[in-house]
């Protein structure tokens, strides 16, 4: 990240942009920085101005307590203002939930695309999210960053042996550095259920995408988003999981973002 701007509360946000044309802001998910979504910037920048940023509390960006989801929406407002005054948003995983909240808040957003925003649909899944929130909060309050990361990895379905191996790897220190931001993504998810009332208030076109090799509940959640917004569309990507390949995802996003918003009426 090579440029900084200040959000409304004074938090420094590191960002960089590439390309020319209509602006697209890429929003990363949990346990990630802007670098996670940066591989999408190169193919998209052939047709658009693509902005990649580190969300607050991550990478080269600053942080200002106390955290609120509204402050992250204000971060997007500051980025949009600094990079042209209007933008489309793409969010992956919980970053998709943030992008949808930003659109619902009335920011000058042209379109929104999200990839596998992990809303829960079943009571069992919602109960699992509630247990995760409780245990995550306790781990972070007690300074057990490694345990917080492990809780998140368990939530994603990662095998215990794989997690144990990860804890011994050189990458673990970097994951622990990001651990406090897990609470931010948990707050953005708002309890984990599909926020149908909020989604119904979004007036711009929304494309909700999932990989057809991802768990069925991921695809169901993506479809629920498309069905809950007034101008929604749902699409699956063949052979893709939660970590979609940029060369598969980018053409789909480019096609969507290139369309005039009047095409969706």
């Amino acid at each position: 990240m090579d440029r900084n701007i200040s959000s409304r509360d004074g938090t420094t946000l590191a960002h960089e942009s590439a390309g020319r044309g209509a602006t697209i802001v890429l929003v990363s998910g949990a346990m990630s920085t802007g670098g996670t979504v940066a591989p999408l910037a190169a193919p998209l920048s052939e047709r658009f101005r693509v902005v990649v940023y580190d969300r607050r509390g991550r990478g080269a960006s600053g942080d200002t307590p106390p955290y609120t989801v509204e402050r992250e929406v204000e971060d997007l407002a500051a980025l949009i203002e600094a990079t042209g005054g209007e933008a489309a948003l793409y969010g992956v995983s919980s970053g998709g939930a943030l992008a949808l909240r930003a659109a619902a808040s009335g920011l000058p957003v042209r379109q929104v695309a999200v990839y596998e925003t992990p809303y829960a649909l079943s009571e069992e899944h919602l109960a699992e999210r509630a247990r995760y929130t409780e245990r995550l909060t306790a781990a972070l309050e007690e300074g057990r960053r490694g345990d917080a990361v492990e809780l998140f990895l368990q939530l994603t379905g990662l095998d215990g042996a794989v997690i144990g191996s990860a804890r011994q790897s050189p990458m673990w220190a970097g994951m622990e550095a990001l651990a406090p931001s897990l609470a931010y993504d948990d707050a953005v998810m708002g309890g984990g259920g599909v926020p149908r009332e909020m989604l119904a208030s979004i007036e711009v076109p929304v494309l909700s995408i999932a990989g057809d090799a991802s768990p069925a509940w991921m695809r169901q959640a993506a479809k629920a988003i498309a069905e809950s917004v007034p101008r929604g569309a749902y699409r699956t990507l063949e052979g893709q999981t939660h970590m979609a390949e940029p060369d598969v995802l980018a053409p789909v996003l480019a096609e969507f973002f290139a369309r005039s918003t009047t095409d969706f009426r």
Side-chain angles (χ1 to χ4, degrees):
M1 300 296 165
D2 58 4
R3 295 182 59 196
N4 292 331
I5 62 169
S6 292
S7 190
R8 182 177 180 181
D9 67 358
T11 300
T12 299
L13 302 173
H15 77 289
E16 58 187 19
S17 63
R20 300 176 64 182
T23 300
I24 303 171
V25 179
L26 307 185
V27 186
S28 64
M31 290 302 299
S32 65
T33 65
T36 308
V37 291
L40 277 172
L44 289 175
S45 65
E46 296 176 5
R47 300 174 66 180
F48 308 96
R49 180 183 185 184
V50 185
V51 178
V52 176
Y53 78 110
D54 287 334
R55 290 171 57 188
R56 62 173 55 216
R58 314 160 197 241
S61 289
D63 202 3
T64 304
Y67 175 83
T68 66
V69 176
E70 290 73 22
R71 288 188 171 190
E72 282 224 75
V73 172
E74 289 172 356
D75 294 348
L76 280 169
L79 282 164
I80 292 170
E81 182 178 359
T83 56
E86 180 187 72
L89 303 178
Y90 166 72
V92 58
S93 197
S94 52
L98 177 57
L100 291 166
R101 282 177 175 261
S105 73
L107 264 59
V109 171
R110 192 173 62 252
Q111 295 148 290
V112 181
V114 296
Y115 188 82
E116 294 196 352
T117 301
Y119 290 127
L121 295 172
S122 70
E123 291 300 324
E124 179 182 2
H125 203 170
L126 286 168
E128 180 185 12
R129 294 290 182 84
R131 290 192 296 271
Y132 167 74
T133 298
E134 182 179 359
R135 296 175 67 190
L136 176 68
T137 301
L140 292 175
E141 286 179 348
E142 295 165 12
R144 296 184 285 112
R145 291 191 175 192
D147 291 346
V149 174
E150 183 166 337
L151 284 167
F152 173 73
L153 296 178
Q154 290 171 348
L155 185 69
T156 67
L158 210 60
D159 182 80
V162 176
I163 296 174
S165 177
R167 291 196 78 139
Q168 306 304 315
S169 72
M171 69 179 182
W172 192 257
M175 296 174 76
E176 287 195 357
L178 286 171
S181 68
L182 287 171
Y184 300 177
D185 286 278
D186 191 50
V188 165
M189 291 302 298
V194 180
R196 297 185 188 276
E197 184 176 348
M198 183 270 285
L199 294 173
S201 73
I202 297 176
E203 299 179 354
V204 300
V206 174
L207 174 64
S208 185
I209 313 168
D212 72 357
S214 289
W217 73 265
M218 280 281 197
R219 299 192 298 276
Q220 292 163 1
K223 190 174 183 180
I225 293 170
E227 292 173 345
S228 298
V229 296
R231 302 167 71 187
Y234 168 65
R235 180 160 178 177
T236 58
L237 300 184
E238 183 177 356
Q240 299 304 298
T241 64
H242 197 58
M243 304 295 288
E245 295 293 333
D247 61 345
V248 175
L249 178 58
V252 175
L253 294 177
E255 178 187 10
F256 173 68
F257 289 133
R259 295 175 64 186
S260 166
T261 57
T262 59
D263 293 343
F264 298 91
R265 291 178 180 173

